[in-house]
Amino acid sequence: MRTVFSYLLPYKVAAGVAFILMLLELAVELLQPLLLAKIIDDGIMQEDLATVLTWGAVMVGLSLLAFGAGVLNSFYAGHAGQSTGFDLRNAMFRKIQRSSLGNLQPFATSSLMTRLTNDVTQIQNTIFMGLRIMARAPLLVVGGSIMALVVNWRLALFLLITVPLLVFFLLWVLKKGVHIFGKVQQNVDEVNHVVRENLTGLRLIRVFVRERFEIGRFVDKSGTLMKNTRSAFRLMELTMPVLLFLMNASILAVLWFGSISVQEGGAEIGEVVAIVNYATRITSALGVFAMIIMVFSRARASALRIEEVLLGTDDELVGSQGLPAEKTISGDLAFADVSFSYEEKTAPVLEHISFQAKRGETIAVIGETGAGKSSLFQLIPKLYTPTSGVIRMDGVNIQDTNVQTLRKQIGYVPQAVRLFSGTIRENIAWGVPEASDAAVEEAARTAQIHGMIEALPEGYATLVGQQGVNLSGGQKQRISIARALLRNPKVLLLDDSTSALDTKTEGRFLSALETYSCTTLIVTQKLSTALRADSILLLEHGKMVGMGSHEELLATSPLYKKLYESQYGKEA
Ligand code: DGT
Ligand code: MG
């Protein structure tokens, strides 16, 4: 809560003004019954029309003043709430951008989306309501009770017994409400998660005829959300009858003993009316409590979730200032006894990996599926941190280097290709927006995609993604390669990036790549590709089981021999 509400501090002036305006409204509201008593006792009872008119005019004037204050209060409260929400959203988004992936691992994508939108909205509403009405309700309860005491303390005693009882009751409801609304927010998360997974997998769902299952899954989650929301509202509804019963009982008591006191001369009629008036105002203020509880419970749950993101993530740019931002690397890469697991206390996916790739060398990484090839690649641009061991670039531990300097010089083509909405040119120049057309074309030529792009009616200006052309897997793969090459990387990581290319195109690409003087690591399933590399690294179950030239591996590694025979036949 603290951290989230500290984001309100920059808007403390607006919040303060809104609060003062709210106090003005409150003062008017507390004065009204007093004025009413005066009009009755000094005006109506004495049959003095002038007094009635004078105090009546004062009441109208004060009401107008309160109305104006209310309008201005809305304005300032809205400003404070919206601005705080804006800042919170941005802060969270920035955190997510800068946090290391390891730290984001516990958050589901859908949950982060709910936190960025729904949870922030809750906070915004709470600040607005807080400054508009929420703070007024408790003040009105306290102020109303005090004023009633001032008017006639004997009659006001009935209120003094009931009001604290009700406050305790409402606090109890509040505690329960926080718990239930926490669950509701979590249910919203789950619904979002199902929707997200469904929408991104529509094609697969159709092909596997899983629509019914998906609908069932959605209805299930959506039903839980409804059930929990309903019980939250039931709890809120429970408060009203209890509240009305106790308050009306005390109003009856005030009227009963009030009429006796008036007859005995211990109280004036106007006083009785004023106290009843205070009691009704206190009742409606306590009624607002039910809403306060709801808003506050939701806000608390949301604030905790926002804080998890704000405080639970790290900033990978901090503490890694080793290399200055503009330093170029030459591409000498070395792994020294590197082990890695994605989460603490889970089995390592890489164990004791040691190898060297000198600048300009090409190393083929082979191994069966799940061997840890992609994981190995992700360690190099520091997407994850090794659990033990050291990765060196130009002899410097990459943990001590500036992460952005490092990444700017790495060309990474991930296994799962990802294009962004925009033109083909924008997609290729995604890492270097200022690149010249000639450079973009050159990269596309090397990636063996230039001809295909030229053949499109709009060439490089063709839109891709949902509104544009649909590209084949191999075409996307090559655009993704061109994107990595355009950066002129010192280290190029190709994660199974030629899997969708036919042998001839792949051969042309690998030959064209030789003009680039970068250290290249290439994951491949095809030995024909691996054979073109300077050396081959063989992974099995996260362990390095061999490294060397084709001949060396053939002589030393039974696994490699088996692989070779399976692809080239025994006679080879
Ligand atoms: P591939 O692409 O099918 O040929 O397989 P590799 O060799 O690229 O395998 P890799 O590195 O993706 O996965 C190695 C192990 O790590 C495997 O047991 C799955 C696990 N793993 C991969 N990515 C993640 C991740 O993001 N989180 C967790 N917890 N485990 C992961
Ligand atoms: Mg992989």
Side-chain angles (χ1 to χ4, degrees):
M1 289 293 268
R2 280 266 277 299
T3 310
V4 163
F5 284 96
S6 72
Y7 280 79
L8 181 60
L9 280 182
Y11 308 102
K12 55 175 183 268
V13 175
V17 171
F19 191 78
I20 290 169
L21 288 166
M22 186 273 296
L23 286 181
L24 193 65
E25 271 185 286
L26 176 73
V28 172
E29 197 165 342
L30 288 176
L31 278 177
Q32 302 276 30
L34 214 61
L35 293 175
L36 200 65
K38 206 161 179 55
I39 289 174
I40 293 173
D41 293 337
D42 298 354
I44 297 174
M45 299 308 283
Q46 314 291 330
E47 293 182 19
D48 178 355
L49 188 64
T51 307
V52 174
L53 287 179
T54 313
W55 288 111
V58 171
M59 267 180 95
V60 171
L62 283 177
S63 297
L64 282 176
L65 183 71
F67 176 74
V71 172
L72 273 178
N73 166 285
S74 274
F75 174 81
Y76 284 106
H79 174 66
Q82 292 296 323
S83 306
T84 308
F86 177 73
D87 289 354
L88 265 178
R89 255 194 317 269
N90 290 349
M92 243 197 299
F93 192 75
R94 200 163 288 145
K95 267 288 196 179
I96 294 169
Q97 293 312 302
R98 292 166 72 115
S99 167
S100 65
L101 292 181
N103 253 289
L104 284 180
Q105 194 97 352
F107 300 101
T109 311
S110 50
S111 167
L112 286 177
M113 285 167 66
T114 325
R115 289 169 207 238
L116 273 167
T117 49
N118 196 318
D119 285 320
V120 172
T121 308
Q122 299 296 347
I123 301 294
Q124 271 173 347
N125 289 349
T126 310
I127 292 175
F128 177 75
M129 305 274 271
L131 292 171
R132 185 77 198 91
I133 46 174
M134 265 162 62
R136 192 160 92 204
L139 288 177
L140 190 65
V141 171
V142 176
S145 310
I146 294 175
M147 291 299 278
L149 278 176
V150 171
V151 171
N152 186 318
W153 70 269
R154 262 185 271 262
L155 289 178
L157 276 182
F158 294 106
L159 296 185
L160 277 207
I161 298 165
T162 327
V163 170
L165 266 179
L166 278 172
V167 168
F168 276 117
F169 169 67
L170 289 169
L171 285 178
W172 173 78
V173 175
L174 176 73
K175 218 175 123 198
K176 282 198 100 76
V178 170
H179 177 68
I180 300 180
F181 277 111
K183 273 210 285 203
V184 168
Q185 286 309 90
Q186 208 180 337
N187 295 145
V188 173
D189 252 15
E190 285 163 6
V191 170
N192 281 351
H193 182 70
V194 172
V195 171
R196 198 191 125 81
E197 221 173 59
N198 177 282
L199 295 183
T200 48
L202 278 183
R203 283 185 206 186
L204 206 61
I205 289 164
R206 297 283 147 87
V207 175
F208 278 75
V209 201
R210 295 275 287 179
E211 292 92 342
R212 268 157 81 94
F213 172 81
E214 283 292 310
I215 292 171
R217 200 157 79 112
F218 180 78
V219 170
D220 179 45
K221 293 291 178 207
S222 175
T224 317
L225 173 62
M226 179 190 68
K227 231 178 61 208
N228 278 331
T229 313
R230 206 168 49 193
S231 40
F233 278 100
R234 291 246 165 92
L235 182 70
M236 299 301 122
E237 282 154 19
L238 168 78
T239 57
M240 276 326 268
V242 175
L243 179 72
L244 288 178
F245 174 75
L246 280 178
M247 283 311 285
N248 283 333
S250 45
I251 287 176
L252 271 179
V254 171
L255 283 174
W256 179 270
F257 288 100
S259 70
I260 296 174
S261 310
V262 169
Q263 278 163 16
E264 290 174 351
E268 309 247 12
I269 293 184
E271 288 175 3
V272 178
V273 173
I275 288 181
V276 169
N277 205 311
Y278 279 121
T280 20
R281 280 166 203 263
I282 290 172
T283 311
S284 61
L286 285 172
V288 174
F289 255 78
M291 195 187 59
I292 297 180
I293 290 166
M294 198 166 75
V295 175
F296 187 79
S297 319
R298 294 195 114 159
R300 208 181 118 80
S302 290
L304 292 178
R305 286 157 51 86
I306 290 173
E307 277 170 9
E308 271 175 5
V309 177
L310 287 178
L311 305 176
T313 51
D314 57 348
D315 188 333
E316 60 180 4
L317 300 186
V318 171
S320 58
Q321 305 302 335
L323 281 177
E326 67 283 357
K327 169 138 191 319
T328 49
I329 57 175
S330 54
D332 276 322
L333 176 69
F335 272 58
D337 201 26
V338 171
S339 299
F340 170 65
S341 55
Y342 279 96
E343 274 152 280
E344 276 173 48
K345 294 189 209 110
T346 54
V349 295
L350 291 172
E351 289 177 82
H352 310 295
I353 307 286
S354 299
F355 72 92
Q356 281 191 10
K358 297 227 167 57
R359 65 191 70 173
E361 256 184 358
T362 299
I363 291 187
V365 181
I366 59 175
E368 30 187 67
T369 168
K373 306 181 293 292
S374 301
S375 307
L376 179 100
F377 272 26
Q378 296 188 35
L379 295 181
I380 299 169
K382 291 219 288 193
L383 292 178
Y384 293 98
T385 309
T387 323
S388 67
V390 176
I391 302 172
R392 290 196 182 84
M393 189 69 78
D394 294 357
V396 181
N397 184 346
I398 61 168
Q399 297 314 322
D400 301 330
T401 63
N402 181 298
V403 65
Q404 291 191 332
T405 305
L406 180 73
R407 285 181 188 162
K408 277 188 184 141
Q409 302 178 69
I410 291 177
Y412 177 42
V413 185
Q415 193 168 13
V417 175
R418 172 139 217 131
L419 297 189
F420 296 86
S421 49
T423 64
I424 291 183
R425 190 196 187 281
E426 281 164 357
N427 263 287
I428 296 178
W430 196 67
V432 198
E434 70 283 1
S436 68
D437 287 344
V440 171
E441 243 172 66
E442 156 93 9
R445 256 181 236 280
T446 310
Q448 309 299 311
I449 189 76
H450 175 69
M452 178 256 146
I453 299 172
E454 288 278 83
L456 291 169
E458 293 181 61
Y460 281 87
T462 308
L463 284 171
V464 296
Q466 280 191 339
Q467 284 106 40
V469 290
N470 270 316
L471 297 170
S472 76
Q475 289 165 340
K476 285 188 203 160
Q477 214 167 41
R478 279 175 280 168
I479 289 178
S480 182
I481 293 174
R483 179 195 288 160
L485 289 176
L486 186 61
R487 295 170 66 119
N488 255 322
K490 288 292 186 279
V491 176
L492 181 64
L493 305 172
L494 300 168
D495 192 348
D496 219 7
S497 309
T498 55
S499 60
L501 304 193
D502 58 82
T503 327
K504 250 165 79 190
T505 314
E506 186 184 7
R508 280 205 302 272
F509 162 62
L510 292 174
S511 304
L513 195 59
E514 281 165 11
T515 59
Y516 284 74
S517 62
C518 53
T519 311
T520 307
L521 266 64
I522 174 165
V523 166
T524 178
Q525 307 289 344
K526 294 180 241 174
L527 278 192
S528 58
T529 311
L531 288 178
R532 301 180 62 133
D534 296 309
S535 58
I536 301 169
L537 193 162
L538 185 57
L539 278 181
E540 191 187 22
H541 303 310
K543 293 191 187 73
M544 219 173 109
V545 288
M547 172 140 184
S549 65
H550 166 68
E551 288 73 24
E552 284 165 358
L553 282 177
L554 208 54
T556 55
S557 165
L559 180 70
Y560 184 81
K561 193 154 181 273
K562 225 170 71 192
L563 210 71
Y564 181 70
E565 283 168 357
S566 72
Q567 287 194 16
Y568 283 88
K570 258 196 160 50
E571 66 281 5

